[in-house]
Amino acid sequence: MDNKKNLFLAQRLISGDPKAYDLLMEFYYQNLCAYAQSLCQDHALAEDIVQNVFVKMWDKRKKINPDLSIKSYLYKSVYNEFIDQYRKNKPVIYLEKKYYEAIDLVVDIEPEELDNLIKLMNIEIENLPSKCKEIFLMNKKEGLTHTEISEYLNISTKTVEGHITRAFKILTEKLGTKMEAVLFLLFGFNKKKGQTSLR
């Protein structure tokens, strides 16, 4: 959808035109659901998030700035709704505070850039040395502790820690300060007993 059509629909939406609302739903709903699912890894929750965004958009339509991209508005709204849902459904504990701080780093990023960061993270994880990638994913994706990985692979915990540290070093070089926030989006927060940090 080009900028002129976005602007026209935003103006019609602000004026209370239900057809503009329907057109925005038709054009953006599926893509927003896919985006929300990339954040929460849950199809049903993703749909709930997007539906909430559209309901809130209609309720607050008079406050929308027609000069701003309606696409960016919708994507940022989905992102903010995801954060709200996460905080609502997860008990706040001390260890999560650092992740809230990390996740706030990406709130103001344009949706396209955030999509690119997530894609880049997946690519760079795939490009890690094979053993390094295996151990990193066992820790981040499967939630296994360093001890559990060492027992499963019959290697020392020092070796496990070395591979995970190496993975973090490589990923930080590629993605910079936003690396931990993007990891959070991909794998969430592991609260498995014994795992007390991203590393």
Side-chain angles (χ1 to χ4, degrees):
M1 187 180 292
D2 60 36
N3 290 334
K4 187 178 291 186
K5 187 172 287 186
N6 264 312
L7 177 60
F8 174 75
L9 286 176
Q11 291 171 336
R12 297 308 305 160
L13 182 70
I14 292 167
S15 70
D17 184 351
K19 290 182 180 178
Y21 179 85
D22 291 342
L23 281 171
L24 287 169
M25 279 277 288
E26 181 181 337
F27 193 84
Y28 287 114
Y29 185 82
Q30 292 300 328
N31 287 339
L32 289 171
C33 283
Y35 174 62
Q37 189 165 347
S38 75
L39 300 177
C40 66
Q41 309 299 316
D42 183 317
H43 180 72
L45 179 57
E47 289 198 331
D48 286 343
I49 286 171
V50 175
Q51 287 165 11
N52 287 343
V53 164
F54 274 102
V55 169
K56 289 178 181 179
M57 181 183 69
W58 178 255
D59 290 341
K60 299 177 180 179
R61 62 188 181 279
K62 292 183 179 178
K63 296 181 180 180
I64 294 174
N65 184 347
D67 296 325
L68 298 179
S69 165
I70 196 74
K71 178 180 179 181
S72 291
Y73 173 85
L74 285 168
Y75 273 84
K76 284 186 177 180
S77 295
V78 166
Y79 183 83
N80 290 332
E81 183 70 18
F82 159 70
I83 296 297
D84 288 345
Q85 289 289 330
Y86 178 83
R87 288 175 170 165
K88 188 185 300 179
N89 295 324
K90 299 281 185 180
V92 177
I93 60 174
Y94 173 77
L95 289 172
E96 286 184 309
K97 290 180 181 177
K98 63 184 290 189
Y99 298 99
Y100 288 147
E101 293 169 2
I103 209 72
D104 285 341
L105 289 173
V106 296
V107 169
D108 294 324
I109 297 177
E110 287 299 313
E112 292 83 358
E113 184 184 351
L114 186 55
D115 286 342
N116 289 336
L117 283 171
I118 291 172
K119 288 174 185 174
L120 179 60
M121 174 65 81
N122 282 318
I123 290 170
E124 295 303 332
I125 289 174
E126 284 301 312
N127 287 338
L128 289 172
S130 59
K131 183 58 70 175
C132 186
K133 179 177 78 171
E134 179 186 14
I135 290 172
F136 183 77
L137 288 176
M138 288 175 75
N139 179 240
K140 297 296 157 271
K141 190 173 183 180
E142 298 175 28
L144 299 180
T145 65
H146 295 184
T147 301
E148 288 169 335
I149 295 170
S150 71
E151 290 174 353
Y152 182 79
L153 297 177
N154 196 28
I155 57 178
S156 70
T157 55
K158 288 278 188 187
T159 301
V160 172
E161 290 166 4
H163 279 295
I164 292 174
T165 299
R166 184 182 180 191
F168 265 88
K169 184 174 183 295
I170 293 170
L171 295 175
T172 301
E173 287 173 355
K174 298 293 184 180
L175 285 97
T177 58
K178 298 181 181 68
M179 184 272 295
E180 288 197 2
V182 178
L183 270 182
F184 178 88
L185 294 181
L186 283 174
F187 302 126
F189 176 72
N190 274 316
K191 291 190 291 184
K192 184 169 183 174
K193 187 178 179 181
Q195 182 148 338
T196 57
S197 128
L198 268 174
R199 305 195 179 197

